[in-house]
Amino acid sequence: MQVKKTFEFLQKFNANSGTWVFAATLFNKLILFVIKLGILFYFEKAVYGQITYAVSIVAFFTPFVGLGSPSGLLRYGSIVKSAQEKKEISHYVFTQGLGLSLMMAVLLLPIVWFFAKDNATTYLFLAILCFRVVSLFLFNYQSVEMRIQDLNKRFAQFDLVNSLLLLAGALVLTLLFNAIGYILSLVLVPIFVFILYAIKFGWPQWRKKISDNISLKSFWAYSVWASFSNVLTETVFIVDTILIGLLMSDTAVAEYNVAGLIPINILILPIIFMKTDFPQIARNFKNRNFLKNYYQQFFILFLIICTAGMLIAYFLGDWILSFFGKDYEPYSIFIILMLGASISILFRIPLTNMISAFGKTRFNTITGFITILADIGLNLYAIPRYGLIGAAWATTSALILSGLLSLIYFFYYLKKETI
């Protein structure tokens, strides 16, 4: 009986063009890996360091593109019923979000100077990348606009086109203009893809007023909280690396990162499901039976996947890690981080996304803040005493705490706020 339900769950995922989203996401990951590998070998070490440093600095600000309005569009555009209301919200987000992103890009220009370390080349990279917040807004807006209309196949194709053009753009512009060319490709390609799809499927219109049935205050509160929540979510996965670098050595950071390569990358699997089904979850945010059944089927499916993954890691971990070279064999750390990844897959990732679909991004932000504080405290205690093993257990413990808090709130929400 349960096998049949799990199979039906996968059938619904496929019917919602989930396999298209799955393929596009994996292809995007592959293209990004190829590009990173290419620039690693093409540029001198110092130039490569400047590029990655500049990209990392600006990446911290990207969750705030459009002041989080694409997230607001995804949630509120999913729950309104009529196509006209979807268009009204979509056009409003385009108008306001584009203006806010342009303003943010200009404001970032003097701010990033403080991160340039008095290096003119680094500042040039940072200054160009400031306008990546505009191109990412356009890309995110176009993606969400398709998703709220349940056009997941078109959304996946859009992602595929962007990946291919990013590869081509990075290659051509790098050969023509070296490092500046690569930086320009990161800014220009998403804009070019947006224009292509706008020409084919229609340009968004200017609109200064949101739909009459949507509270302006609620919309922007949700959007801003979603931005903070996204920043905190990403930060959880870099706290341990930063503290290892401060308290141990560069060699320890390298060994830890190798151990975390597979655990971090398998997190994309539940994210694909959430990316595909978020509009459907948002539309049913008051339907207790739907929400309970969805999470139950998701949990069972990924419990099977995580169990298989843990068994493979336990019995074949040494062999898998041997591919990274004899200097990288952190088997025990790998197993612990696989456990942390499994906890995230089963609890943290699906539940935080579902809670966001409920409109409770403020809760996710609070939970994220608590998780980071716990992560920092546990790592500061464990790293000096137990080294990399301590860091792995500290991070896994913080992820367990996050998953537990989300699970408690999920059941509270089902009991108090659904019918």
Side-chain angles (χ1 to χ4, degrees):
M1 183 67 176
Q2 185 54 57
V3 173
K4 183 181 178 181
K5 287 183 178 180
T6 303
F7 184 69
E8 289 175 350
F9 182 72
L10 286 171
Q11 281 184 317
K12 290 178 181 177
F13 174 74
N14 182 57
N16 201 20
S17 300
T19 49
W20 272 95
V21 177
F22 180 81
T25 304
L26 290 186
F27 185 72
N28 176 260
K29 288 287 183 182
L30 176 63
I31 292 296
L32 291 177
F33 176 76
V34 169
I35 291 173
K36 288 179 180 179
L37 201 61
I39 64 170
L40 173 64
F41 287 109
Y42 185 79
F43 295 116
E44 294 179 0
K45 189 175 183 180
V47 176
Y48 175 76
Q50 287 177 317
I51 292 171
T52 53
Y53 173 75
V55 171
S56 299
I57 293 297
V58 176
F60 178 79
F61 298 97
T62 55
F64 295 97
V65 296
L67 208 58
S69 54
S71 296
L73 173 61
L74 179 59
R75 202 258 168 175
Y76 286 91
S78 297
I79 63 176
V80 295
K81 296 180 180 180
S82 71
Q84 180 60 34
E85 284 181 299
K86 290 180 187 292
K87 287 182 180 179
E88 289 173 354
I89 300 171
S90 178
H91 295 328
Y92 171 79
V93 166
F94 175 76
T95 304
Q96 301 298 322
L98 181 58
L100 288 167
S101 297
L102 285 167
M103 188 185 303
M104 180 179 173
V106 173
L107 290 174
L108 280 176
L109 288 172
I111 293 173
V112 296
W113 169 257
F114 295 100
F115 296 95
K117 298 181 287 190
D118 294 326
N119 187 300
T121 301
T122 301
Y123 179 69
L124 180 59
F125 291 169
L126 286 165
I128 295 172
L129 286 170
C130 284
F131 291 91
R132 182 164 164 76
V133 300
V134 178
S135 62
L136 284 179
F137 167 77
L138 293 173
F139 179 81
N140 291 341
Y141 164 79
Q142 188 73 282
S143 300
V144 171
E145 208 271 337
M146 297 174 196
R147 291 169 64 191
I148 63 174
Q149 299 180 63
D150 293 322
L151 299 173
N152 278 328
K153 183 177 179 180
R154 184 187 294 178
F155 158 61
Q157 292 169 341
F158 175 73
D159 203 17
L160 286 169
V161 170
N162 181 71
S163 298
L164 287 170
L165 289 179
L166 183 60
L167 177 63
L171 176 63
V172 172
L173 291 175
T174 298
L175 291 175
L176 289 175
F177 307 109
N178 293 313
I180 291 294
Y182 173 69
I183 296 293
L184 285 171
S185 72
L186 298 179
V187 176
L188 297 178
V189 169
I191 297 174
F192 181 66
V193 177
F194 169 80
I195 292 172
L196 282 180
Y197 268 68
I199 291 172
K200 184 173 178 61
F201 298 107
W203 291 87
Q205 299 173 10
W206 293 99
R207 182 181 175 87
K208 295 183 178 180
K209 184 182 178 183
I210 201 168
S211 174
D212 293 334
N213 294 325
I214 300 296
S215 164
L216 193 64
K217 181 180 178 181
S218 298
F219 175 87
W220 284 109
Y222 176 93
S223 300
V224 173
W225 281 114
S227 296
F228 283 110
S229 176
N230 291 336
V231 169
L232 294 172
T233 297
E234 295 298 322
T235 305
V236 168
F237 294 103
I238 63 172
V239 165
D240 48 4
T241 303
I242 292 172
L243 291 177
I244 289 169
L246 292 173
L247 300 174
M248 296 182 70
S249 65
D250 292 340
T251 303
V253 171
E255 186 171 350
Y256 191 81
N257 283 342
V258 167
L261 276 176
I262 294 174
I264 287 294
N265 280 287
I266 63 172
L267 297 179
I268 194 64
L269 295 175
I271 291 173
I272 291 170
F273 271 76
M274 291 296 108
K275 187 183 291 187
T276 302
D277 293 336
F278 188 98
Q280 186 181 13
I281 296 169
R283 280 193 289 270
N284 288 277
F285 75 106
K286 289 292 186 181
N287 187 333
R288 180 184 303 148
N289 289 333
F290 173 87
L291 297 173
K292 185 177 179 180
N293 182 66
Y294 182 90
Y295 180 61
Q296 182 181 26
Q297 297 309 316
F298 177 97
F299 183 87
I300 292 170
L301 172 63
F302 277 94
L303 180 62
I304 296 170
I305 294 172
C306 289
T307 301
M310 286 300 300
L311 289 172
I312 292 171
Y314 183 80
F315 290 107
L316 299 176
D318 281 326
W319 177 74
I320 293 170
L321 293 172
S322 68
F323 285 92
F324 296 103
K326 61 182 180 180
D327 294 328
Y328 297 107
E329 297 180 1
Y331 172 76
S332 298
I333 306 165
F334 172 60
I335 294 296
I336 298 168
L337 293 178
M338 279 294 292
L339 175 62
S342 298
I343 295 296
S344 286
I345 288 171
L346 292 173
F347 299 102
R348 187 172 187 269
I349 292 174
L351 291 174
T352 54
N353 276 275
M354 292 182 74
I355 290 168
S356 181
F358 303 161
K360 307 297 183 180
T361 48
R362 183 177 180 180
F363 173 82
N364 281 340
T365 303
I366 295 170
T367 303
F369 186 69
I370 293 171
T371 303
I372 286 176
L373 288 179
D375 200 14
I376 293 172
L378 289 169
N379 271 285
L380 286 174
Y381 173 82
I383 292 173
R385 292 169 175 80
Y386 309 108
L388 296 182
I389 295 290
W393 275 118
T395 298
T396 297
S397 299
L399 294 174
I400 291 172
L401 173 63
S402 175
L404 181 62
L405 291 173
S406 296
L407 184 65
I408 292 171
Y409 185 80
F410 176 70
F411 283 115
Y412 167 82
Y413 180 86
L414 290 184
K415 183 178 180 180
K416 297 291 185 179
E417 300 193 40
T418 57
I419 56 175

